[in-house]
Amino acid sequence: MALLQIDNRQARHLWLSAQGIDRAPTGPLDLPEIIRQLGFVQLDTIQVVSRAHHHILWSRNQNYREPMLDRLMAQDRAVFEHFTHDASVLPMEFLPMWRRQFQRKQAQLDRAGWFKGLPDKPERDAIKARIEREGPLSTHAFDTKVEGKREMWARPPHKKALDYMWYSGELATCHRVNFTKFYDLAERVFPAALSEIALTDEAQIDWLCRAALDRIGVGTSGEIQQFWDAASAQEVKAWLGRAKTDLQEVEVQTAKGDWVTAFAPTNLEDRLAEVASPTSRLRILNPFDPVVRDRKRLFRLFGFDYRNEMFVPAAKRLWGYYVFPILEGDRFVGRIELKADRKKSLLTVVNFWPELGVQWSARRFGKLEAELQRLARFVGVKSVETKEV
């Protein structure tokens, strides 16, 4: 039997719909539902305009404001922090299916070469006892110093201990103050009813794979694995073997016109029938937005060759330090480098690059200006200016 074929435009629309970026970012805000639909939201410390997690959420609904995520975690306990492919927030209801990830991360850190200089268990227990007595503490409550050469990613022993216990699920993020993480005992953060749910390893893998596939629409084995990065490639392949009666193989057309075999839920045709064309509204996406995070998938579906160059030496950058992709409808039409100065109440366009083959009419520039003004209001600055280059 011939495989169901999904042409490139359908594939783009399905992906944008699955990621909640296909519709105008307006209307009533349901923040927990946005995070649930995305699966997770990556956290990032860098604030060139707005930190990545805030920008990602604002891109889905522009009624979002930065304090809302903090309240969702610290007051409502509706989300928790842990590690997918990077530090992220996840819906608290996912906790029972995330238990194995605590164990996986601890096992990774226990391997030779990881976390050199990690305090031993009695020292870690002493740190944990302080948190139990005093309540949530940040790394600033401790005074051990970096040992040896002060390299970029060097951490003092107490920070290694805190992070080790956070990765392993002994500690949890209670709240943040100016993005500084406060650690508390996991049992004081995670609801007891969820903590008591015990799922087998196989059941957790099954949920992870199905939830990933639901959020990418169609995907290869590697894309399913990379979505959460909470199961190994071998575990995902084994799951595909077990779940094949609940899945279908399909062929997905790339931006170049080639065809790639992928997996999809059996209700894919119904889902495709419900997917509408994306809004023509122009969007400035964050470099860590899930739509662009998987660079290989991005290039295959959209032909958009994008990379994050903030850790690339300036002389070797093709574009710039913090460059935002520009999405219009179902294609990427350019990229833009921005910087916000809250003291001067200014959003500066540092540089702009139209995508090759895209004509930038006065109407399209008008749409970009409107989005820049919306972004400026979001980060609380009054003016937008273009830097002379």
Side-chain angles (χ1 to χ4, degrees):
M1 180 184 294
L3 299 182
L4 173 65
Q5 290 190 323
I6 304 167
D7 68 38
N8 183 245
R9 174 154 288 188
Q10 283 181 303
R12 294 186 190 202
H13 293 185
L14 181 64
W15 174 231
L16 295 174
S17 173
Q19 289 298 301
I21 207 74
D22 62 323
R23 61 197 75 99
T26 56
L29 172 64
D30 186 341
L31 185 56
E33 178 56 29
I34 291 174
I35 299 173
R36 190 177 300 113
Q37 180 183 9
L38 292 174
F40 64 89
V41 178
Q42 181 174 336
L43 298 169
D44 194 65
T45 60
I46 299 172
Q47 184 174 257
V48 175
V49 177
S50 176
R51 289 192 173 97
H53 41 287
H54 296 309
H55 189 177
I56 290 166
L57 293 168
W58 177 81
S59 292
R60 272 73 188 170
N61 190 304
Q62 292 180 2
N63 291 313
Y64 172 80
R65 292 296 179 266
E66 293 185 357
M68 295 178 179
L69 182 61
D70 295 326
R71 289 198 297 268
L72 202 64
M73 180 174 68
Q75 297 176 22
D76 301 340
R77 291 285 187 256
V79 295
F80 70 98
E81 287 187 15
H82 204 247
F83 207 86
T84 55
H85 56 89
D86 212 321
S88 303
V89 294
L90 301 99
M92 185 66 78
E93 66 205 64
F94 290 1
L95 183 65
M97 289 74 75
W98 206 253
R99 287 292 175 188
R100 71 185 308 274
Q101 180 70 338
F102 295 136
Q103 299 164 4
R104 289 180 77 246
K105 299 310 294 184
Q106 180 176 353
Q108 289 175 3
L109 297 179
D110 284 341
R111 291 174 193 154
W114 281 69
F115 265 36
K116 290 181 179 178
L118 174 70
D120 60 22
K121 191 173 188 308
E123 292 177 277
R124 299 199 302 270
D125 286 345
I127 290 174
K128 192 173 177 181
R130 269 196 66 187
I131 293 172
E132 184 173 13
R133 291 193 309 271
E134 300 175 31
L137 297 176
S138 77
T139 185
H140 301 305
F142 304 88
D143 58 6
T144 62
K145 306 298 182 184
V146 172
E147 299 170 348
K149 186 178 179 181
R150 294 184 65 88
E151 297 175 329
M152 180 178 180
W153 298 110
R155 298 291 183 269
H158 72 264
K159 175 60 172 169
K160 292 179 182 178
L162 288 166
D163 284 345
Y164 179 88
M165 290 186 282
W166 178 83
Y167 278 115
S168 63
E170 290 183 68
L171 300 179
T173 307
C174 178
H175 62 280
R176 287 179 179 263
V177 177
N178 297 325
F179 206 64
T180 297
K181 182 191 298 185
F182 280 74
Y183 301 81
D184 201 354
L185 304 181
E187 57 266 30
R188 296 202 294 221
V189 175
F190 298 150
L194 292 175
S195 297
E196 291 167 1
I197 297 174
L199 299 176
T200 65
D201 205 57
E202 186 174 301
Q204 291 180 65
I205 292 172
D206 182 71
W207 182 89
L208 288 167
C209 293
R210 292 182 189 278
L213 194 53
D214 182 56
R215 285 162 177 81
I216 62 178
V218 295
T220 63
S221 175
E223 289 170 338
I224 295 169
Q225 188 275 327
Q226 290 165 20
F227 182 83
W228 305 105
D229 196 19
S232 69
Q234 293 76 17
E235 288 169 331
V236 172
K237 287 178 180 178
W239 173 80
L240 286 169
R242 294 193 300 271
K244 58 186 177 183
T245 56
D246 298 329
L247 306 173
Q248 60 177 321
E249 281 191 280
V250 298
E251 288 187 333
V252 182
Q253 188 181 37
T254 71
K256 290 183 176 181
D258 302 328
W259 295 89
V260 174
T261 302
F263 299 93
T266 53
N267 67 348
L268 178 63
E269 289 183 90
D270 293 336
R271 190 166 174 177
L272 285 171
E274 295 173 357
V275 171
S277 296
T279 174
S280 62
R281 185 167 175 159
L282 187 143
R283 323 286 284 276
I284 296 172
L285 299 184
N286 191 271
F288 295 99
D289 194 288
V291 169
V292 301
R293 181 185 66 81
D294 186 335
R295 309 290 193 240
K296 292 181 179 178
R297 181 180 176 89
L298 176 68
F299 184 71
R300 188 167 69 245
L301 287 181
F302 296 89
F304 186 60
D305 190 6
Y306 178 74
R307 68 175 187 168
N308 195 326
E309 298 182 302
M310 62 187 63
F311 299 118
V312 176
K316 295 183 178 181
R317 290 177 190 147
L318 294 176
W319 309 104
Y321 174 70
Y322 205 87
V323 176
F324 300 79
I326 302 173
L327 176 71
E328 184 185 34
D330 64 1
R331 66 173 178 161
F332 288 88
V333 295
R335 55 197 92 199
I336 191 167
E337 186 174 11
L338 304 172
K339 188 173 184 180
D341 188 328
R342 285 169 171 77
K343 290 183 179 179
K344 295 181 179 179
S345 198
L346 188 65
L347 178 65
T348 300
V349 178
V350 179
N351 218 326
F352 165 76
W353 303 267
E355 192 67 1
L356 187 65
V358 177
Q359 296 296 318
W360 274 77
S361 63
R363 182 173 180 272
R364 182 166 280 142
F365 273 114
K367 291 166 73 172
L368 175 60
E369 177 60 29
E371 182 72 351
L372 287 168
Q373 293 294 338
R374 287 189 287 263
L375 186 57
R377 288 194 294 273
F378 170 57
V379 299
V381 302
K382 294 180 180 179
S383 303
V384 178
E385 74 167 16
T386 300
K387 182 179 178 181
E388 295 294 332
V389 293

